[in-house]
């Protein structure tokens, strides 16, 4: 049919001096088939067409039944009128059906077609004949797809007898090169045509230089990866080294104890941390088993004992937490709650050769959070660490101003905060121009001696640490209001494929 349709369109135009509507002439043809035929003829200037959009009313299955058999209220009236002595209300469903009895009885009573004898609970006819207006209205709509009175359309929609949908048709008129006959055009000039000379008489199809090529499928970077790349570039520009972050599972020792987080801290409760059920425990901290990564200068047994001592009794000038430290708690396996566990591991390795160093990491962490529009059970943490001699809090504030300015954030505020492993600690707030308010963008501080000195780092060495989430700046840059639309099974792949590149220093 698609091959014959262009000829049918030309024939339909030959029968009129004006235009035709495809919805009337070719009601059974699909939109794609009609559009293809019109485009084919339009490219040869044989016709001109324009698109017409309108809302059409279509009948529901219930409405189709009314068109064929009458409305519910008409059925009830006929059943009641046929019963000379009246019809019991309880007998009505058995005659007209439950649905017609439920809907039609009330409508027939409201229209005063029937009346109810409340004492005997009997329905009686109140008139000799009726006009089934609903059926007539639906019959008109079935033919024309509309109705002159919009109130009728609204009432029928409320009764769920109609549903509205967009309908696209075309108004077609003759073009400058209109002809009644459609001549097939050749798409290729073949060797046979050249040899036989038939190329002189054939009509060749012209090239359509305005046609769009077929979309080419390709891979696309997720918005988080684009923003992550920008953060990495900032860190590399500032002389940082990227830390290995491939250990999603850590022991409580590296995730909590080595950071001077007490074993009774709320962050270590089941409602905040995911614990591994099999196996439950790991071995004590020891040299990296990867060939070439271990350092013979590091005494892991001494490190383990110093961490125990600084928690239980205090050491290195600290009074500690003074509680019975449990070895099995330190060996429990957890999904890491922050990438600071990796920073701790790297700082401990730095103790074998103490020197100024700058480290960063960007990777996934896990928290036992209630999932909502701004929280997930897993997210990405951006973390930076600077180790050097003579560092001060003022230096940390100055560095934060430089670091965040590279992301286009130039107005910062710092608020005192508490972290078990940093002192002093600060929350970082940036002024969001779009929201016109201050928003929290990170945490920072200077690592405590109780964390650094058990590693074997010199007393004079100070370490800055700060972190922020990767999701928050990504949501702000891409205008995402629900974090579940950015990460997880609800992500729209079209959004991933079509999102723009990002530059953190530009709006």
């Amino acid at each position: 049919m698609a091959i014959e349709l262009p000829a049918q369109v030309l024939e339909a135009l030959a029968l009129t001096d004006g235009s035709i509507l495809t919805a009337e002439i070719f009601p059974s043809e699909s939109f794609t088939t009609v559009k293809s035929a019109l485009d084919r003829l339009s490219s040869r200037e044989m016709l001109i067409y324009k698109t017409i959009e309108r809302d059409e009313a279509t009948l529901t299955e219930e409405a189709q039944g009314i068109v064929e058999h009458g409305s519910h209220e008409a059925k009830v009236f006929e059943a009641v009128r046929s019963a000379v002595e009246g019809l019991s209300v309880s007998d009505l469903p058995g005659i007209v059906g439950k649905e017609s009895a439920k809907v039609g009885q009330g409508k027939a009573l409201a229209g005063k077609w029937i009346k109810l004898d409340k004492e005997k609970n009997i329905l009686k006819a109140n008139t000799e004949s009726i006009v089934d207006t609903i059926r007539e209205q639906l019959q008109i709509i079935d033919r024309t797809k509309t109705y002159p009175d919009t109130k009728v359309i609204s009432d029928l929609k409320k009764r769920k007898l109609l549903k509205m949908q967009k309908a696209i048709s075309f108004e077609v008129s003759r073009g400058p090169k209109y002809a009644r006959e459609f001549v097939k055009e050749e798409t290729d000039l073949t060797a046979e045509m050249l040899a036989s000379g038939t190329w002189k008489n054939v009509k060749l199809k012209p090239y359509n230089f305005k046609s769009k090529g077929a979309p080419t499928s390709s891979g696309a970077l997720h918005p988080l990866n684009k923003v992550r790349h920008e953060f990495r570039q900032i860190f590399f520009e500032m002389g940082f080294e990227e830390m290995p972050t491939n250990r999603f599972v850590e022991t409580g020792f590296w995730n909590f104890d080595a950071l001077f987080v007490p074993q009774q801290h709320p962050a270590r409760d089941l409602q905040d941390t995911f614990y591994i059920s099999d196996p439950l425990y790991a071995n004590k901290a020891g040299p990296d088993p990867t060939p070439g990564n271990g350092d013979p200068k590091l005494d892991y047994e001494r490190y383990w004992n110093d961490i125990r001592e600084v928690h239980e009794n205090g050491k290195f000038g600290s009074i500690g937490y003074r509680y019975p430290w449990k070895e099995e708690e330190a060996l429990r396996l957890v999904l890491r709650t922050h990438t600071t566990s990796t920073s701790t591991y790297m700082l401990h390795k730095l103790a074998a050769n103490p020197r100024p160093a700058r480290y960063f990491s960007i990777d996934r962490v896990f928290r036992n959070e209630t999932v909502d529009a701004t929280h997930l059970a897993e997210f990405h943490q951006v973390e930076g660490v600077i180790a050097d001699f003579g560092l001060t809090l003022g230096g940390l504030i100055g560095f934060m101003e430089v670091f965040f300015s590279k992301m286009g954030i130039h107005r910062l505020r710092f608020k005192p905060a508490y972290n078990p492993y940093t002192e002093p600690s600060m929350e970082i707030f940036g002024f969001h121009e779009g929201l016109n308010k201050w928003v929290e963008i990170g945490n920072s501080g200077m690592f405590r001696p109780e964390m650094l000195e058990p590693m074997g780092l010199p007393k004079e060495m100070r370490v800055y640490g700060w972190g922020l989430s990767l999701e928050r700046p990504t949501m702000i840059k891409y205008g995402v209001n629900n974090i579940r639309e950015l990460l997880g099974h609800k992500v729209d792949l079209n959004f991933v494929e079509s999102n723009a590149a990002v530059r953190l220093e530009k709006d």
Side-chain angles (χ1 to χ4, degrees):
M1 182 63 70
I3 298 173
E4 300 173 359
L5 193 58
Q8 292 182 41
V9 173
L10 295 175
E11 186 64 29
L13 285 172
L15 301 176
T16 178
D17 293 330
S19 60
I20 61 172
L21 291 175
T22 57
E24 296 176 358
I25 307 297
F26 310 108
S28 59
E29 296 292 347
S30 68
F31 168 83
T32 306
T33 304
V34 173
K35 181 77 164 55
S36 176
L38 295 181
D39 285 340
R40 189 175 181 187
L41 295 171
S42 176
S43 66
R44 294 158 178 78
E45 299 184 26
M46 297 180 75
L47 57 76
I48 301 168
Y49 74 90
K50 63 180 180 180
T51 305
I52 300 173
E53 282 190 26
R54 66 170 186 162
D55 290 325
E56 284 191 352
T58 57
L59 306 189
T60 64
E61 186 177 346
E62 181 184 354
Q64 290 285 3
I66 291 175
V67 168
E68 294 175 15
H69 308 292
S71 65
H72 300 301
E73 48 266 45
K75 289 180 184 178
V76 170
F77 172 76
E78 290 298 331
V80 173
R81 189 173 64 86
S82 299
V84 180
E85 300 297 328
L87 183 64
S88 171
V89 172
S90 59
D91 294 336
L92 184 61
I95 298 173
V96 300
K98 289 183 179 179
E99 184 66 23
S100 291
K102 178 182 176 182
V103 177
Q105 181 180 324
K107 295 287 184 183
L109 285 169
K112 297 184 180 179
W113 295 355
I114 61 175
K115 58 185 177 181
L116 174 64
D117 186 338
K118 294 184 179 179
E119 292 183 3
K120 298 180 180 179
N121 204 29
I122 289 177
L123 297 168
K124 292 184 179 182
N126 202 31
T127 184
E128 288 297 322
S129 62
I130 61 165
V131 176
D132 194 350
T133 308
I134 296 295
R135 185 182 189 183
E136 292 178 353
Q137 291 169 345
L138 290 174
Q139 286 172 338
I140 293 171
I141 293 170
D142 193 29
R143 290 194 306 271
T144 64
K145 306 300 180 185
T146 187
Y147 197 83
D149 189 345
T150 55
K151 186 177 184 303
V152 170
I153 294 286
S154 179
D155 291 341
L156 293 175
K157 281 171 62 180
K158 288 177 183 177
R159 288 187 62 175
K160 297 183 179 178
L161 297 175
L162 294 182
K163 54 185 178 182
M164 304 302 293
Q165 61 183 26
K166 288 281 184 186
I168 300 176
S169 62
F170 304 97
E171 183 181 347
V172 186
S173 57
R174 297 180 185 185
K177 295 183 181 180
Y178 169 78
R180 189 162 185 170
E181 183 182 354
F182 178 72
V183 180
K184 183 183 177 183
E185 296 174 329
E186 298 293 340
T187 56
D188 295 307
L189 184 64
T190 64
E192 289 78 8
M193 291 179 186
L194 294 172
S196 64
T198 56
W199 63 272
K200 298 175 183 178
N201 301 319
V202 298
K203 189 173 179 63
L204 293 172
K205 182 180 180 181
Y207 284 107
N208 181 5
F209 294 102
K210 295 181 180 179
S211 64
K212 295 181 179 179
T216 303
S217 58
S218 62
L221 286 176
H222 191 281
L224 283 172
N225 279 337
K226 293 184 178 181
V227 177
R228 180 178 183 271
H229 173 76
E230 284 295 299
F231 272 111
R232 291 182 79 239
Q233 293 305 113
I234 291 172
F235 278 116
F236 287 139
E237 286 173 9
M238 302 183 78
F240 282 76
E241 175 187 344
E242 190 165 16
M243 295 183 280
T245 55
N246 55 346
R247 296 194 304 195
F248 286 180
V249 178
E250 288 282 10
T251 61
F253 177 82
W254 288 110
N255 199 75
F256 296 118
D257 295 273
L259 275 71
F260 199 52
V261 178
Q263 293 183 342
Q264 300 84 7
H265 195 278
R268 301 178 75 152
D269 291 343
L270 284 171
Q271 62 263 31
D272 292 309
T273 301
F274 291 110
Y275 284 90
I276 306 300
S277 59
D278 185 20
L280 284 169
Y281 302 102
N283 297 323
K284 280 186 181 182
D288 192 328
T290 307
N293 284 355
D295 197 310
K297 298 179 185 177
L298 296 174
D299 187 343
Y300 285 88
E301 187 64 31
R302 181 191 62 77
Y303 183 37
W304 176 274
N305 291 330
D306 282 347
I307 291 294
R308 176 201 295 272
E309 188 69 17
V310 81
H311 277 257
E312 277 192 340
N313 304 309
K315 199 173 182 181
F316 307 107
S318 170
I319 62 173
Y321 291 118
R322 291 172 290 179
Y323 70 94
W325 188 80
K326 296 180 181 178
E327 183 174 301
E328 60 270 21
E329 185 66 25
L331 295 178
R332 290 183 71 182
L333 287 170
V334 302
L335 287 177
R336 67 179 178 206
T337 59
H338 47 197
T339 51
T340 316
S341 56
T342 302
S343 302
T344 307
Y345 179 75
M346 292 299 292
L347 289 171
H348 179 240
K349 288 185 69 174
L350 184 66
N353 180 22
R355 64 194 185 282
R358 295 185 173 197
Y359 300 122
F360 82 93
S361 64
I362 308 172
D363 213 335
R364 193 167 296 194
V365 296
F366 309 87
R367 306 272 176 88
N368 195 356
E369 300 264 16
T370 301
V371 176
D372 58 28
T374 57
H375 296 85
L376 287 177
E378 54 181 301
F379 58 96
H380 295 79
Q381 181 174 333
V382 181
E383 180 161 334
V385 171
I386 297 178
D388 206 341
F389 299 92
L391 298 180
T392 64
L393 182 64
L396 173 60
I397 292 174
F399 183 85
M400 289 294 96
E401 290 173 344
V402 174
F403 177 78
F404 282 103
S405 70
K406 291 182 177 289
M407 290 187 278
I409 302 173
H410 300 280
R411 296 172 63 185
L412 295 180
R413 284 179 178 174
F414 299 90
K415 175 184 173 183
Y418 168 75
N419 275 315
Y421 44 91
T422 56
E423 181 60 40
S425 307
M426 298 182 298
E427 291 176 347
I428 308 168
F429 291 81
F431 188 78
H432 191 289
E433 301 289 347
L435 299 176
N436 197 33
K437 67 176 183 178
W438 294 91
V439 295
E440 184 181 351
I441 56 176
N443 266 288
S444 65
M446 302 183 70
F447 287 133
R448 295 176 66 109
E450 293 95 332
M451 173 183 165
L452 300 177
E453 292 191 35
M455 297 175 179
L457 290 170
K459 237 176 156 39
E460 302 79 19
M461 179 166 274
R462 301 287 182 267
V463 180
Y464 296 151
W466 72 95
L468 62 152
S469 79
L470 182 64
E471 280 74 8
R472 174 163 288 187
T474 306
M475 290 173 71
I476 292 172
K477 283 293 180 182
Y478 285 99
V480 177
N481 296 320
N482 192 326
I483 193 172
R484 288 168 290 193
E485 296 173 4
L486 185 68
L487 186 66
H489 67 284
K490 292 186 177 181
V491 174
D492 182 356
L493 293 181
N494 289 325
F495 165 68
V496 174
E497 291 172 359
S498 62
N499 64 70
V502 65
R503 294 294 180 266
L504 292 177
E505 76 279 5
K506 298 184 183 298
D507 292 333

